[in-house]
Amino acid sequence: MEVLALLIPVSLVLGGVGLAAFFWTLRSRQYDDPEGDARRILRDEWDDRPQP
Amino acid sequence: MNAPIALAEAPGIAACPACAVAPAAVRQGSRAPSRARIVLAVPAAHCAACIGALEGAVAALPGVRAARLNLTLRRLYVDAAPEVGAEAIVAALARVGYEGFELDAATLAAVETDAEGRDLLMRLGVAGFAMMNVMLLSVAVWSGAEAATRDLFHWISGAIALPTVAFAGQPFFRSALRSLRARRLGMDVPISLALILASAISVYETLHSGRHAYFDAAVMLAFFLLAGRYLDHRTRAIARSAAQELAALEVPRAIRIGPAGDAVVAIEALVPGDLVRVLPGTRIPVDGTIEAGESEIDRALLTGESMPQPTAPGLGVGAGEMNLTGALVVRVTAAGAATTLRRMADLVALAESARTRYTSLADRAARAYSPVVHLVALASLGGWLQATGGDWRVALNVAAAVLIITCPCALGLAVPAVVTAASGRLYRAGLLIKSGTALERLAAVDTVVFDKTGTLTLGTPRPVNLDLLPPEALALAGALGAGSAHPLAQALAQAARARGVAPAEVAALREVPGQGVEGCWQGGRVRLGRAGWVGAEPAGAGAATTATWLARPGAAPVAFVFEDSLRPGAEALVRDLQAQGMRVLLLSGDAPGPVAAIAARLGIAEHAAAVLPEEKVARLQALAAEGQRVLMLGDGLNDTGALAQAHVSISPASGLDAARAASDMVLMGRDLAPVGPAIRTARLSVRRIRENFALSALYNIVAVPVAIVGLASPLLAALAMSLSSVTVTLNALRLR
C-alpha cells in the first residue's frame, strides 16, 4: 500500500495538468471558431496565420 | 494560389491581429486609432475552400493588413488602414463570388465578450476535473477499502471536493440567496442546501472515521447542474449573437451637410438643427423636417401603409422611413436615442418586462417540488430521531441522503437539454429563438394574428394586368422603370425582364421626384408615373388597387395595376394553421381594399384594415381576455406593441430592429413556411420536457424510500444521479 503515497499525488498532478491546459485553451479563445478550426487543419495550403 | 504569399509579405502579420477578436477591437479603438477594424457578415461561407478564397481576396487589397474568417459565426474580420472602406472589401468579396454585409463593430463588441459563458465553462471544467478524481477514490472506497485507507481516501476527496463545491457552486448559492430574499423557493434552494449539507455531513463523518462520505455526490451534483446551466446559457447566447448581428447590419451613418461640404458621420454625432442629405433608396436616419427636395417616402415599416407617400418641404419624417425617388435635405429634430424609433424600442422594453408574468414549466415544477423535498427530508430527520432515541448523527445522515438523492439533478437538465436540441433544429430551419420560454409559449398557441405589409406580403408590388396590355407598353414601361428606384417602377422593369421583353429605346431618361419618369421615344414624350401627371383620369381615393400609368404619343394612357406579392410560404402556412384548428386573424394598418384582397386570397375570414397600433394592442388584449393564446407575426413599428403584448411573437428578419427586439423569435429567411413546423416542434419539446420531469420523478420514487429507511449509500446516490441525468439528456436528444 506504500505505492499509494506515490500514485495519489501523481494522479492529482496529472489531473491538475489537464485542468491547467483547459484553462489555457479557454483563455486563448480556442472555442471561438470550432467549425473554422476543424476545416483549417484539413487545408493543404500552409496556414501562416495560426492563432497566437 | 498566391494570395497567402502576398499576405505574408504584408507588414504586421506576425502579430496575427485578426484572432483576438472583439476585446481587441475595443482596446484598439482607444489605443491605436490608425487601425480600422471592419467586420462583415458572409452568410455564404461554408467550406474550407471558402476560407482560403475569402481571406486571400481581401488580404490582397492594398491597405489591408490581415483578414480572418470565423466560419462558425460566418464573419470576416479585417484589419486595415483607415483609408480602406467597407465598400472596397464588399466589392472584393463580390469578385470571388460571395455576398458581404458590413456589420457595425460597436454593436457587435457589446455581445462578443461572453464573460458569463466563459465563467460557467471554467466552473464546469473545475467541477469535471474534481469529479473524475474524487470518483477514482470513491471507487476504491466502494470496492471495500477499510479503516485507515478509507479515512485517507475520504480526506483526499474532501480536500478536492470542498474547494470545488465552494467555487463551482457559486452560481447556485447566489441565485438561491436571491430567491430566498424574494421569499420564494426556487430550484436553486434545494440544490444549494444539498450541496452544503452533503459537504458538511461528509466532513463530520470523515472526522469520526464514518463509513459514508458524500464528497463524490456533492461534486457530481455540481457538475451535472452546471452542465445544464451552461447548455441553457449557450442556447441563449447563440440566439442573442445572431439577433445582434441583425441589428449590427444597420450601420448608423448619415451624410451631414456642413460648411466644408458633405461628410459621412455617425448618427451619434448629429445634433438637432443639423442638415442631413438623404439619398434615394436609403433609410431616413433621423427624425426631422424636409428642408428641400421632392420625393416619395415608404412608411410601410412604420405604419403598414403599402403605398408610398409624396413629400413636400416642411413635412415631418421619422427615422426608419425609406426615401424612394429623389434626394432630400432634412433638418434634424431628433437623432440617436431621441428618435421615435428608439422611443418605440424603449416602450417595447417596458412591455417585455410585463411578460415576465409568465411562469415557465421549470419554475412551476420547482414550485411543486421544493417544498415536498424539504418536508420529506425534515420528516425523515424527525422520524429517525424518534426511532433511535435522539441519535443526531444517524438522523442527519439519513436526511442528507434524502436531500442528495432527491436533488433535482435531472430536473436541472430536463428543460435546458430539450430547449437546446429544439433550438438547434429550428435554427437549421431558419428560426431564431431569443427567449428561453418562447418554445413553451409557442406550444400553447391557439390563435394566430398576422400583420399584412412586410409579413404576409413582401412589401414589393407585382404587376397583375400585363396580359391585357399591348406588348409595346410593357417594353416602354420596362425601359422607363429601370431609371427609377421607386418600387412600382422597379417591379415593372423586373416583370419586363422576366417576360423576355426587350426594353424600348428611350432617350433622355429623367426622373421627376414625386411624379414619375419621363423620356423621349420615337420623337415623342413618354411618361410613367402618377395618373394626374401623365394626363389620365385619376382613380378614386378608395380604389382597392395600386396603379401606375403610362402615357405615349398616339395612344390613350394605360394603367398598370399592382398587387403586393405574397411572401413565399404564406398560403401554405395559413392553410396549415387552419388545418391545425387555429383561429387566424389579419390586422393591418393598410387601406381596406388591399387588405380585403389579401384576406380573400389567403382565405382569412377575420380581417380588419386601417388598424392603429394602439388598436392592435387592444385587439390582442381582448383576445387574451377571451382566454386565447395568441401568436403574433409582424414586422413594422406599428406592430411592436402588439408583438410585445402577444403570448408569443415572431418577426421576419427584414422587419424593423424594434420589431425584432420585441418578438420572441426571428424568421431568418424570406419564407414563412418554417412557422408551421415550428409550432409542431414546440409542442413536441413541451412533451419531451414533461417526459423528462416524469423520468426524474420516477427515479425519485424508486430511490427516496431506500434513502428514508436509511439504506442509501454514496454508491446508490451516484448511480441514481448519473443514470437519471443521462436518461433525461438522451430523451431530449431524440428531438434533433
Side-chain angles (χ1 to χ4, degrees):
Chain A
M1 277 294 155
E2 288 76 32
V3 72
L4 274 182
L6 192 67
L7 282 182
I8 291 174
V10 164
S11 76
L12 284 182
V13 166
L14 284 179
V17 168
L19 189 65
F22 173 68
F23 280 160
W24 171 70
T25 58
L26 209 58
R27 285 260 167 83
S28 56
R29 308 186 137 264
Q30 297 191 24
Y31 300 100
D32 276 4
D33 184 13
E35 200 179 321
D37 291 338
R39 308 261 185 174
R40 270 171 211 277
I41 201 169
L42 295 177
R43 286 198 303 161
D44 52 359
E45 337 167 8
W46 171 248
D47 190 0
D48 47 5
R49 284 154 284 149
Q51 294 217 340
Chain B
M1 285 236 169
N2 54 8
I5 298 164
L7 185 87
E9 289 163 0
I13 290 309
C16 186
C19 310
V21 175
V26 178
R27 269 186 271 117
Q28 280 169 4
S30 55
R31 203 183 52 197
S34 67
R35 286 192 155 185
R37 180 165 292 280
I38 301 164
V39 187
L40 296 111
V42 192
H46 66 282
C47 58
C50 304
I51 299 177
L54 281 169
E55 291 181 351
V58 174
L61 290 175
V64 171
R65 294 194 196 93
R68 192 170 179 96
L69 179 76
N70 183 323
L71 199 59
T72 315
L73 297 172
R74 308 210 164 154
R75 286 186 199 151
L76 185 69
Y77 295 89
V78 183
D79 182 17
E83 67 270 14
V84 180
E87 303 75 37
I89 296 170
V90 170
L93 291 182
R95 278 199 294 278
V96 285
Y98 292 93
E99 241 182 329
F101 306 96
E102 189 190 2
L103 296 174
D104 184 25
T107 315
L108 284 180
V111 276
E112 277 199 21
T113 48
D114 182 15
E116 199 194 336
R118 286 206 289 162
D119 180 66
L120 274 175
L121 196 58
M122 173 133 64
R123 288 181 206 275
L124 184 66
V126 170
F129 156 80
M131 186 179 75
M132 284 187 274
N133 282 286
V134 173
M135 242 351 134
L136 273 181
L137 297 165
S138 293
V139 169
V141 176
W142 296 337
S143 44
E146 284 292 328
T149 319
R150 187 178 65 205
D151 285 351
L152 174 71
F153 283 178
H154 279 170
W155 277 114
I156 299 172
S157 305
I160 302 172
L162 289 179
T164 305
V165 169
F167 175 68
Q170 273 171 24
F172 307 109
F173 298 150
R174 253 184 257 131
S175 130
L177 257 182
R178 256 202 311 277
S179 63
L180 279 183
R181 273 207 205 105
R183 301 182 177 283
R184 283 188 303 116
L185 276 183
M187 192 81 89
D188 284 334
V189 176
I191 289 173
S192 303
L193 208 63
L195 282 176
I196 293 170
L197 214 67
S199 307
I201 206 92
S202 307
V203 170
Y204 181 84
E205 287 292 308
T206 308
L207 279 171
H208 292 81
S209 303
R211 283 187 57 220
H212 295 328
Y214 287 98
F215 288 122
D216 52 350
V219 176
M220 200 172 178
L221 197 57
F223 177 76
F224 278 127
L225 290 168
L226 276 173
R229 220 35 74 97
Y230 181 67
L231 276 185
D232 197 35
H233 173 83
R234 209 174 149 67
T235 326
R236 261 176 248 184
I238 291 172
R240 250 204 315 274
S241 148
Q244 207 73 32
E245 183 167 310
L246 286 174
L249 271 173
E250 288 153 22
V251 182
R253 280 193 200 131
I255 306 172
R256 181 166 61 192
I257 309 173
D262 291 4
V264 176
V265 294
I267 286 186
E268 279 72 30
L270 292 172
V271 290
D274 277 352
L275 285 177
V276 291
R277 194 183 299 283
V278 185
L279 300 178
T282 59
R283 244 175 235 299
I284 297 174
V286 293
D287 283 3
T289 50
I290 295 174
E291 284 283 309
E294 252 182 63
S295 178
E296 288 175 308
I297 50 173
D298 179 357
R299 294 193 151 142
L301 277 180
L302 282 84
T303 62
E305 296 163 80
S306 52
M307 266 305 283
Q309 306 291 311
T311 70
L315 184 85
V317 289
E321 296 174 353
M322 185 73 111
N323 179 24
L324 292 175
T325 46
L328 289 174
V329 177
V330 174
R331 185 167 297 279
V332 179
T333 54
T339 56
T340 356
L341 209 62
R342 291 289 178 88
R343 280 205 304 275
M344 284 300 271
D346 293 347
L347 273 184
V348 168
L350 274 180
E352 274 194 337
S353 65
R355 199 186 260 157
T356 47
R357 282 167 305 177
Y358 178 79
T359 20
S360 67
L361 279 172
D363 281 347
R364 262 181 276 164
R367 207 170 279 176
Y369 174 90
S370 305
V372 173
V373 171
H374 290 145
L375 280 177
V376 170
L378 208 66
S380 41
L381 178 75
W384 275 89
L385 273 181
Q386 193 83 39
T388 55
D391 191 340
W392 278 94
R393 187 175 164 186
V394 174
L396 265 180
N397 241 318
V398 171
V402 169
L403 259 185
I404 294 168
I405 283 190
T406 54
C407 201
C409 202
L411 281 186
L413 277 169
V415 179
V418 172
V419 172
T420 305
S423 304
R425 176 165 155 180
L426 292 178
Y427 187 75
R428 282 193 297 276
L431 205 64
L432 193 69
I433 306 203
K434 284 169 51 202
S435 152
T437 57
L439 275 175
E440 299 169 19
R441 284 184 275 130
L442 184 61
V445 159
D446 54 15
T447 306
V448 184
V449 175
F450 286 100
D451 168 52
K452 187 182 77 75
T453 320
T455 306
L456 277 178
T457 67
L458 283 168
T460 51
R462 192 170 55 94
V464 286
N465 64 337
L466 293 183
D467 293 329
L468 309 174
L469 298 172
E472 179 193 84
L474 185 57
L476 272 172
L480 286 166
S484 170
H486 195 284
L488 297 185
Q490 285 292 321
L492 278 178
Q494 258 175 29
R497 269 199 300 277
R499 292 183 163 229
V501 176
E505 303 245 336
V506 179
L509 216 59
R510 188 174 75 93
E511 178 155 27
V512 183
Q515 304 292 349
V517 199
E518 65 176 9
C520 283
W521 173 69
Q522 293 180 1
R525 194 179 63 183
V526 280
R527 276 182 165 179
L528 178 73
R530 302 189 157 275
W533 183 62
V534 303
E537 193 69 27
T545 51
T546 308
T548 190
W549 293 75
L550 175 78
R552 59 204 149 110
V558 290
F560 291 92
V561 180
F562 290 88
E563 210 174 53
D564 212 351
S565 55
L566 279 180
R567 202 177 260 277
E571 274 174 310
L573 174 63
V574 170
R575 264 202 310 276
D576 185 9
L577 293 174
Q578 282 166 341
Q580 288 184 39
M582 294 203 201
R583 188 172 156 194
V584 180
L585 288 89
L586 174 63
L587 298 181
S588 174
D590 204 358
V595 174
I598 290 281
R601 217 161 119 195
L602 292 174
I604 301 177
E606 294 180 75
H607 58 87
V611 186
L612 294 176
E614 307 83 64
E615 289 171 1
K616 282 198 186 189
V617 176
R619 279 298 290 272
L620 286 186
Q621 274 165 346
L623 283 170
E626 286 169 34
Q628 311 268 36
R629 304 204 185 271
V630 181
L631 162 66
M632 169 85 202
L633 281 103
D635 75 317
L637 197 56
N638 58 334
D639 301 314
T640 44
L643 286 169
Q645 171 67 38
H647 191 61
V648 57
S649 48
I650 302 179
S651 67
S654 61
L656 208 60
D657 190 20
R660 290 194 308 259
S663 46
D664 301 297
M665 302 180 203
V666 175
L667 201 57
M668 304 301 285
R670 277 159 52 97
D671 201 331
L672 272 182
V675 174
I679 295 175
R680 276 188 284 273
T681 305
R683 294 210 175 119
L684 199 61
S685 40
V686 166
R687 195 187 314 150
R688 291 275 178 277
I689 291 176
R690 288 185 203 281
E691 279 169 13
N692 278 350
F693 285 151
L695 274 174
S696 44
L698 194 72
Y699 275 102
N700 278 340
I701 289 167
V702 174
V704 169
V706 182
I708 290 176
V709 298
L711 291 175
S713 66
L715 176 61
L716 183 73
L719 271 179
M721 229 183 274
S722 34
L723 272 180
S724 60
S725 299
V726 170
T727 330
V728 161
T729 313
L730 286 181
N731 187 39
L733 283 178
R734 289 201 294 146
L735 257 179
R736 282 183 75 85

